[in-house]
Amino acid sequence: MTDAADPAALFRTMLGQWEKMANDYGAEFLKRPEAAQAMHGATNATLQAQQAMQEVMAKALAAAHMPSKADIEAISARLGAVEASLARIEAKLGSGEAATPAARPKRTRTPPPKG
């Protein structure tokens, strides 16, 4: 029963009963083959709508000369491969620091002696 000290107890009890009734009704509804077919149809319709929207967006982006999500993902994957290759090259070189250029002879105004 309800507790007199808790004014929200009646509300919680009613809410619990409503949830139980809704769950029971939902379980009975989903046991019917028509409900399963309707759910399957709704899922298929949603997937087809998503696919159509993706195609429309891809065409719109192509018309605007902008990359699609798939293009960005492909570029990201290629960039990741380049970074991995660069890391392997740096690891093979050792410290990863750039080599210093070879020393050049000093430039002066007089030509070097022949001989």
Side-chain angles (χ1 to χ4, degrees), residues 22-114:
N23 287 337
D24 292 342
Y25 177 77
E28 288 297 321
F29 176 75
L30 291 177
K31 287 181 184 177
R32 299 179 195 161
E34 301 88 19
Q37 289 175 351
M39 297 284 283
H40 183 66
T43 302
N44 281 342
T46 302
L47 292 176
Q48 289 175 353
Q50 285 177 350
Q51 185 177 7
M53 187 63 173
Q54 287 174 354
E55 290 173 3
V56 168
M57 286 301 297
K59 288 179 183 178
L61 289 172
H65 301 291
M66 294 182 69
S68 66
K69 181 180 177 184
D71 295 335
I72 297 295
E73 289 172 348
I75 290 170
S76 178
R78 289 174 56 197
L79 181 60
V82 168
E83 288 175 345
S85 296
L86 182 60
R88 286 193 303 272
I89 291 169
E90 288 176 344
K92 285 183 179 180
L93 288 177
S95 65
E97 295 179 16
T100 57
R104 293 185 174 180
K106 290 184 178 181
R107 294 182 64 177
T108 59
R109 291 180 183 229
T110 57
K114 294 184 181 183

